[in-house]
Short mmCIF file of all heavy atoms in Angstrom, two decimals:
data_model
loop_
_atom_site.label_atom_id
_atom_site.label_comp_id
_atom_site.label_asym_id
_atom_site.label_seq_id
_atom_site.Cartn_x
_atom_site.Cartn_y
_atom_site.Cartn_z
N GLY B 651 -35.52 62.92 -31.52
CA GLY B 651 -35.73 62.18 -32.75
C GLY B 651 -37.19 61.92 -33.02
O GLY B 651 -37.62 61.82 -34.16
N LEU B 652 -37.93 61.80 -31.93
CA LEU B 652 -39.34 61.44 -32.06
C LEU B 652 -40.21 62.65 -32.37
O LEU B 652 -41.20 62.56 -33.07
CB LEU B 652 -39.84 60.79 -30.77
CG LEU B 652 -39.21 59.45 -30.40
CD1 LEU B 652 -39.64 59.03 -29.02
CD2 LEU B 652 -39.62 58.41 -31.42
N SER B 653 -39.81 63.78 -31.80
CA SER B 653 -40.68 64.94 -31.99
C SER B 653 -39.93 66.03 -32.71
O SER B 653 -38.77 66.31 -32.41
CB SER B 653 -41.15 65.43 -30.61
OG SER B 653 -40.82 66.76 -30.41
N GLN B 654 -40.58 66.64 -33.68
CA GLN B 654 -39.90 67.66 -34.47
C GLN B 654 -39.74 68.94 -33.67
O GLN B 654 -38.98 69.82 -34.00
CB GLN B 654 -40.69 68.01 -35.74
CG GLN B 654 -41.27 66.85 -36.47
CD GLN B 654 -42.69 66.57 -36.00
OE1 GLN B 654 -43.00 66.62 -34.81
NE2 GLN B 654 -43.54 66.25 -36.95
N GLN B 655 -40.48 68.96 -32.58
CA GLN B 655 -40.59 70.20 -31.85
C GLN B 655 -39.43 70.32 -30.85
O GLN B 655 -39.07 69.34 -30.20
CB GLN B 655 -41.88 70.09 -31.08
CG GLN B 655 -42.36 71.32 -30.46
CD GLN B 655 -43.67 71.01 -29.80
OE1 GLN B 655 -43.95 69.87 -29.44
NE2 GLN B 655 -44.48 72.01 -29.60
N THR B 656 -38.82 71.50 -30.74
CA THR B 656 -37.80 71.65 -29.72
C THR B 656 -38.48 72.03 -28.42
O THR B 656 -39.38 72.85 -28.39
CB THR B 656 -36.79 72.75 -30.09
OG1 THR B 656 -37.52 73.89 -30.47
CG2 THR B 656 -35.90 72.30 -31.22
N LEU B 657 -38.01 71.39 -27.34
CA LEU B 657 -38.63 71.65 -26.04
C LEU B 657 -38.13 72.98 -25.50
O LEU B 657 -37.01 73.38 -25.77
CB LEU B 657 -38.25 70.55 -25.06
CG LEU B 657 -38.89 69.18 -25.29
CD1 LEU B 657 -38.33 68.18 -24.32
CD2 LEU B 657 -40.39 69.27 -25.15
N PRO B 658 -38.95 73.66 -24.72
CA PRO B 658 -38.47 74.88 -24.08
C PRO B 658 -37.36 74.55 -23.08
O PRO B 658 -37.27 73.43 -22.58
CB PRO B 658 -39.71 75.43 -23.37
CG PRO B 658 -40.70 74.33 -23.36
CD PRO B 658 -40.37 73.40 -24.47
N LYS B 659 -36.50 75.53 -22.79
CA LYS B 659 -35.39 75.33 -21.84
C LYS B 659 -35.92 74.91 -20.46
O LYS B 659 -36.98 75.36 -20.05
CB LYS B 659 -34.61 76.65 -21.68
CG LYS B 659 -33.73 76.96 -22.85
CD LYS B 659 -32.29 77.15 -22.38
CE LYS B 659 -31.29 76.78 -23.45
NZ LYS B 659 -31.58 77.36 -24.76
N PRO B 660 -35.14 74.04 -19.75
CA PRO B 660 -35.61 73.67 -18.40
C PRO B 660 -35.65 74.88 -17.48
O PRO B 660 -34.81 75.78 -17.59
CB PRO B 660 -34.60 72.64 -17.93
CG PRO B 660 -33.42 72.80 -18.80
CD PRO B 660 -33.89 73.37 -20.08
N SER B 661 -36.59 74.91 -16.58
CA SER B 661 -36.65 76.00 -15.62
C SER B 661 -35.97 75.56 -14.33
O SER B 661 -35.65 74.38 -14.17
CB SER B 661 -38.10 76.39 -15.34
OG SER B 661 -38.71 75.42 -14.53
N TRP B 662 -35.74 76.50 -13.42
CA TRP B 662 -35.02 76.16 -12.20
C TRP B 662 -35.94 75.67 -11.10
O TRP B 662 -35.50 75.21 -10.07
CB TRP B 662 -34.20 77.36 -11.72
CG TRP B 662 -32.99 77.50 -12.57
CD1 TRP B 662 -32.77 78.44 -13.53
CD2 TRP B 662 -31.86 76.62 -12.60
NE1 TRP B 662 -31.57 78.19 -14.15
CE2 TRP B 662 -30.98 77.09 -13.60
CE3 TRP B 662 -31.51 75.48 -11.88
CZ2 TRP B 662 -29.79 76.46 -13.90
CZ3 TRP B 662 -30.32 74.84 -12.17
CH2 TRP B 662 -29.48 75.34 -13.17
N LEU B 663 -37.21 75.79 -11.33
CA LEU B 663 -38.18 75.39 -10.32
C LEU B 663 -37.98 73.95 -9.83
O LEU B 663 -38.03 73.68 -8.63
CB LEU B 663 -39.59 75.58 -10.87
CG LEU B 663 -40.65 75.80 -9.81
CD1 LEU B 663 -40.46 77.14 -9.13
CD2 LEU B 663 -42.03 75.70 -10.43
N PRO B 664 -37.72 72.98 -10.75
CA PRO B 664 -37.56 71.61 -10.29
C PRO B 664 -36.42 71.42 -9.28
O PRO B 664 -36.46 70.49 -8.49
CB PRO B 664 -37.27 70.84 -11.58
CG PRO B 664 -37.99 71.61 -12.62
CD PRO B 664 -37.82 73.05 -12.21
N VAL B 665 -35.40 72.30 -9.30
CA VAL B 665 -34.32 72.17 -8.32
C VAL B 665 -34.88 72.45 -6.93
O VAL B 665 -34.66 71.69 -5.98
CB VAL B 665 -33.16 73.13 -8.63
CG1 VAL B 665 -32.12 73.07 -7.53
CG2 VAL B 665 -32.54 72.78 -9.97
N LEU B 666 -35.62 73.53 -6.82
CA LEU B 666 -36.21 73.87 -5.53
C LEU B 666 -37.16 72.77 -5.07
O LEU B 666 -37.08 72.30 -3.93
CB LEU B 666 -36.99 75.19 -5.64
CG LEU B 666 -36.14 76.45 -5.59
CD1 LEU B 666 -37.05 77.67 -5.60
CD2 LEU B 666 -35.28 76.45 -4.34
N SER B 667 -38.02 72.36 -5.97
CA SER B 667 -38.98 71.34 -5.57
C SER B 667 -38.27 70.03 -5.28
O SER B 667 -38.68 69.28 -4.40
CB SER B 667 -40.07 71.17 -6.63
OG SER B 667 -39.50 70.79 -7.85
N GLY B 668 -37.18 69.76 -6.00
CA GLY B 668 -36.40 68.55 -5.75
C GLY B 668 -35.79 68.56 -4.36
O GLY B 668 -35.86 67.58 -3.61
N LEU B 669 -35.17 69.70 -3.98
CA LEU B 669 -34.57 69.83 -2.65
C LEU B 669 -35.64 69.67 -1.58
O LEU B 669 -35.48 68.93 -0.60
CB LEU B 669 -33.90 71.19 -2.49
CG LEU B 669 -32.56 71.38 -3.20
CD1 LEU B 669 -31.97 72.74 -2.85
CD2 LEU B 669 -31.59 70.28 -2.79
N PHE B 670 -36.73 70.36 -1.79
CA PHE B 670 -37.83 70.33 -0.83
C PHE B 670 -38.34 68.90 -0.68
O PHE B 670 -38.42 68.35 0.43
CB PHE B 670 -38.96 71.25 -1.33
CG PHE B 670 -40.17 71.28 -0.46
CD1 PHE B 670 -40.11 71.84 0.81
CD2 PHE B 670 -41.36 70.74 -0.90
CE1 PHE B 670 -41.23 71.87 1.62
CE2 PHE B 670 -42.50 70.77 -0.11
CZ PHE B 670 -42.42 71.33 1.15
N ALA B 671 -38.62 68.27 -1.81
CA ALA B 671 -39.16 66.92 -1.77
C ALA B 671 -38.15 65.95 -1.16
O ALA B 671 -38.50 65.07 -0.37
CB ALA B 671 -39.54 66.46 -3.18
N GLY B 672 -36.87 66.13 -1.50
CA GLY B 672 -35.83 65.26 -0.96
C GLY B 672 -35.78 65.33 0.55
O GLY B 672 -35.79 64.30 1.24
N LEU B 673 -35.76 66.56 1.08
CA LEU B 673 -35.68 66.72 2.54
C LEU B 673 -36.92 66.18 3.22
O LEU B 673 -36.83 65.46 4.22
CB LEU B 673 -35.47 68.20 2.89
CG LEU B 673 -34.04 68.68 2.66
CD1 LEU B 673 -33.91 70.15 3.01
CD2 LEU B 673 -33.05 67.86 3.49
N ILE B 674 -38.08 66.51 2.68
CA ILE B 674 -39.33 66.03 3.28
C ILE B 674 -39.36 64.50 3.28
O ILE B 674 -39.68 63.87 4.28
CB ILE B 674 -40.56 66.55 2.48
CG1 ILE B 674 -40.67 68.07 2.62
CG2 ILE B 674 -41.84 65.89 2.94
CD1 ILE B 674 -41.19 68.53 3.93
N THR B 675 -39.01 63.93 2.15
CA THR B 675 -39.05 62.47 2.04
C THR B 675 -38.09 61.83 3.03
O THR B 675 -38.43 60.89 3.74
CB THR B 675 -38.69 62.05 0.60
OG1 THR B 675 -39.45 62.83 -0.31
CG2 THR B 675 -39.01 60.59 0.37
N VAL B 676 -36.87 62.36 3.07
CA VAL B 676 -35.88 61.80 3.99
C VAL B 676 -36.36 61.89 5.44
O VAL B 676 -36.29 60.93 6.20
CB VAL B 676 -34.54 62.56 3.83
CG1 VAL B 676 -33.69 62.38 5.06
CG2 VAL B 676 -33.82 62.05 2.62
N LEU B 677 -36.85 63.07 5.80
CA LEU B 677 -37.26 63.24 7.20
C LEU B 677 -38.43 62.33 7.53
O LEU B 677 -38.44 61.67 8.57
CB LEU B 677 -37.63 64.71 7.46
CG LEU B 677 -36.42 65.64 7.50
CD1 LEU B 677 -36.87 67.06 7.82
CD2 LEU B 677 -35.39 65.17 8.52
N ALA B 678 -39.41 62.26 6.64
CA ALA B 678 -40.60 61.47 6.95
C ALA B 678 -40.29 59.99 7.01
O ALA B 678 -40.81 59.28 7.86
CB ALA B 678 -41.68 61.75 5.92
N PHE B 679 -39.45 59.52 6.12
CA PHE B 679 -39.27 58.09 6.02
C PHE B 679 -38.06 57.58 6.81
O PHE B 679 -38.03 56.42 7.22
CB PHE B 679 -39.15 57.66 4.56
CG PHE B 679 -40.44 57.79 3.80
CD1 PHE B 679 -40.74 58.94 3.10
CD2 PHE B 679 -41.37 56.77 3.83
CE1 PHE B 679 -41.93 59.06 2.41
CE2 PHE B 679 -42.57 56.88 3.14
CZ PHE B 679 -42.84 58.03 2.44
N ALA B 680 -37.03 58.41 6.99
CA ALA B 680 -35.82 57.91 7.64
C ALA B 680 -35.75 58.31 9.10
O ALA B 680 -35.06 57.66 9.89
CB ALA B 680 -34.58 58.43 6.90
N LEU B 681 -36.45 59.37 9.46
CA LEU B 681 -36.31 59.86 10.83
C LEU B 681 -36.83 58.87 11.88
O LEU B 681 -36.14 58.62 12.87
CB LEU B 681 -37.01 61.22 10.96
CG LEU B 681 -36.47 62.11 12.07
CD1 LEU B 681 -34.97 62.29 11.94
CD2 LEU B 681 -37.17 63.46 12.06
N PRO B 682 -38.03 58.28 11.69
CA PRO B 682 -38.53 57.41 12.75
C PRO B 682 -37.56 56.30 13.17
O PRO B 682 -37.26 56.17 14.36
CB PRO B 682 -39.83 56.85 12.18
CG PRO B 682 -40.26 57.87 11.19
CD PRO B 682 -39.01 58.43 10.62
N PRO B 683 -37.01 55.51 12.23
CA PRO B 683 -36.09 54.47 12.69
C PRO B 683 -34.82 55.05 13.33
O PRO B 683 -34.31 54.48 14.29
CB PRO B 683 -35.76 53.67 11.43
CG PRO B 683 -36.30 54.43 10.29
CD PRO B 683 -37.31 55.38 10.79
N LEU B 684 -34.34 56.18 12.81
CA LEU B 684 -33.10 56.74 13.36
C LEU B 684 -33.32 57.32 14.76
O LEU B 684 -32.42 57.33 15.58
CB LEU B 684 -32.53 57.81 12.43
CG LEU B 684 -31.91 57.27 11.15
CD1 LEU B 684 -31.05 58.33 10.50
CD2 LEU B 684 -31.09 56.03 11.41
N MET B 685 -34.54 57.81 15.00
CA MET B 685 -34.80 58.39 16.32
C MET B 685 -34.81 57.31 17.40
O MET B 685 -34.64 57.59 18.58
CB MET B 685 -36.12 59.17 16.31
CG MET B 685 -36.02 60.51 15.62
SD MET B 685 -34.74 61.59 16.31
CE MET B 685 -33.37 61.40 15.17
N ARG B 686 -34.99 56.05 16.99
CA ARG B 686 -34.92 54.97 17.96
C ARG B 686 -33.53 54.85 18.55
O ARG B 686 -33.36 54.33 19.65
CB ARG B 686 -35.24 53.64 17.27
CG ARG B 686 -36.69 53.44 17.00
CD ARG B 686 -36.88 52.33 16.01
NE ARG B 686 -36.63 51.02 16.64
CZ ARG B 686 -36.63 49.88 15.95
NH1 ARG B 686 -36.84 49.89 14.68
NH2 ARG B 686 -36.40 48.75 16.57
N LEU B 687 -32.55 55.33 17.80
CA LEU B 687 -31.16 55.20 18.26
C LEU B 687 -30.95 55.92 19.59
O LEU B 687 -30.14 55.48 20.40
CB LEU B 687 -30.20 55.72 17.20
CG LEU B 687 -30.05 54.80 15.99
CD1 LEU B 687 -29.28 55.49 14.89
CD2 LEU B 687 -29.35 53.52 16.41
N GLY B 688 -31.68 57.01 19.78
CA GLY B 688 -31.55 57.73 21.03
C GLY B 688 -32.00 56.87 22.22
O GLY B 688 -31.57 57.07 23.35
N ALA B 689 -32.87 55.92 21.92
CA ALA B 689 -33.45 55.12 22.99
C ALA B 689 -32.64 53.86 23.30
O ALA B 689 -33.05 53.06 24.12
CB ALA B 689 -34.88 54.74 22.62
N VAL B 690 -31.50 53.71 22.64
CA VAL B 690 -30.67 52.52 22.92
C VAL B 690 -30.17 52.58 24.36
O VAL B 690 -29.68 53.60 24.83
CB VAL B 690 -29.48 52.45 21.95
CG1 VAL B 690 -28.50 51.37 22.38
CG2 VAL B 690 -29.95 52.21 20.54
N SER B 691 -30.33 51.46 25.08
CA SER B 691 -29.89 51.43 26.48
C SER B 691 -28.38 51.23 26.54
O SER B 691 -27.82 50.43 25.80
CB SER B 691 -30.58 50.27 27.19
OG SER B 691 -29.85 49.94 28.34
N PRO B 692 -27.72 51.98 27.43
CA PRO B 692 -26.27 51.78 27.56
C PRO B 692 -25.94 50.37 28.04
O PRO B 692 -24.82 49.87 27.83
CB PRO B 692 -25.84 52.83 28.59
CG PRO B 692 -27.09 53.32 29.22
CD PRO B 692 -28.22 53.05 28.28
N LEU B 693 -26.93 49.72 28.66
CA LEU B 693 -26.72 48.35 29.15
C LEU B 693 -26.45 47.36 28.02
O LEU B 693 -25.99 46.25 28.25
CB LEU B 693 -27.97 47.89 29.91
CG LEU B 693 -27.87 47.85 31.42
CD1 LEU B 693 -29.14 47.28 32.00
CD2 LEU B 693 -26.66 47.04 31.85
N ARG B 694 -26.77 47.81 26.77
CA ARG B 694 -26.59 46.93 25.63
C ARG B 694 -25.15 46.46 25.50
O ARG B 694 -24.89 45.41 24.90
CB ARG B 694 -27.04 47.65 24.36
CG ARG B 694 -27.11 46.74 23.15
CD ARG B 694 -27.59 47.51 21.93
NE ARG B 694 -27.11 46.86 20.71
CZ ARG B 694 -27.79 45.93 20.06
NH1 ARG B 694 -28.96 45.56 20.48
NH2 ARG B 694 -27.29 45.39 18.97
N VAL B 695 -24.22 47.26 26.02
CA VAL B 695 -22.82 46.83 25.91
C VAL B 695 -22.61 45.52 26.67
O VAL B 695 -21.70 44.76 26.36
CB VAL B 695 -21.84 47.90 26.44
CG1 VAL B 695 -21.86 49.11 25.55
CG2 VAL B 695 -22.15 48.26 27.87
N LEU B 696 -23.48 45.28 27.67
CA LEU B 696 -23.36 44.03 28.41
C LEU B 696 -24.32 42.97 27.88
O LEU B 696 -24.01 41.79 27.87
CB LEU B 696 -23.64 44.27 29.90
CG LEU B 696 -22.68 45.26 30.55
CD1 LEU B 696 -23.07 45.50 32.00
CD2 LEU B 696 -21.25 44.75 30.45
N ARG B 697 -25.51 43.42 27.50
CA ARG B 697 -26.50 42.45 27.02
C ARG B 697 -26.94 42.84 25.62
O ARG B 697 -27.73 43.75 25.43
CB ARG B 697 -27.71 42.45 27.96
CG ARG B 697 -27.43 41.77 29.27
CD ARG B 697 -28.70 41.66 30.07
NE ARG B 697 -29.79 41.07 29.25
CZ ARG B 697 -31.07 41.24 29.56
NH1 ARG B 697 -31.45 41.95 30.59
NH2 ARG B 697 -31.99 40.67 28.82
N ARG B 698 -26.42 42.14 24.64
CA ARG B 698 -26.62 42.54 23.26
C ARG B 698 -28.07 42.48 22.82
O ARG B 698 -28.47 43.08 21.82
CB ARG B 698 -25.78 41.67 22.31
CG ARG B 698 -24.30 41.99 22.37
CD ARG B 698 -23.66 41.73 21.04
NE ARG B 698 -24.15 42.60 20.00
CZ ARG B 698 -24.32 42.22 18.75
NH1 ARG B 698 -24.08 41.00 18.40
NH2 ARG B 698 -24.77 43.08 17.85
N ASP B 699 -28.88 41.72 23.56
CA ASP B 699 -30.27 41.58 23.12
C ASP B 699 -31.13 42.75 23.55
O ASP B 699 -32.31 42.79 23.24
CB ASP B 699 -30.85 40.26 23.64
CG ASP B 699 -30.69 40.12 25.13
OD1 ASP B 699 -29.72 40.69 25.68
OD2 ASP B 699 -31.53 39.47 25.77
N LEU B 700 -30.53 43.72 24.27
CA LEU B 700 -31.32 44.89 24.67
C LEU B 700 -31.49 45.83 23.47
O LEU B 700 -30.63 46.63 23.16
CB LEU B 700 -30.61 45.64 25.80
CG LEU B 700 -30.87 45.12 27.21
CD1 LEU B 700 -30.16 46.00 28.20
CD2 LEU B 700 -32.36 45.08 27.50
N THR B 701 -32.62 45.69 22.80
CA THR B 701 -32.89 46.50 21.61
C THR B 701 -33.98 47.50 21.97
O THR B 701 -34.91 47.15 22.69
CB THR B 701 -33.37 45.58 20.48
OG1 THR B 701 -32.45 44.49 20.40
CG2 THR B 701 -33.44 46.29 19.16
N PRO B 702 -33.86 48.73 21.49
CA PRO B 702 -34.91 49.70 21.84
C PRO B 702 -36.26 49.26 21.29
O PRO B 702 -36.35 48.52 20.31
CB PRO B 702 -34.45 50.99 21.16
CG PRO B 702 -33.44 50.57 20.17
CD PRO B 702 -32.82 49.33 20.67
#
Side-chain angles (χ1 to χ4, degrees):
Chain B
L652 295 171
S653 123
Q654 317 92 319
Q655 192 178 24
T656 49
L657 289 175
K659 285 236 151 48
S661 74
W662 284 107
L663 206 68
V665 175
L666 280 185
S667 60
L669 285 184
F670 179 68
L673 283 179
I674 293 285
T675 312
V676 159
L677 288 182
F679 290 93
L681 206 53
L684 287 196
M685 284 304 100
R686 284 165 74 185
L687 286 170
V690 170
S691 160
L693 255 184
R694 189 179 155 91
V695 293
L696 300 177
R697 287 187 51 201
R698 287 211 65 216
D699 53 331
L700 275 183
T701 311

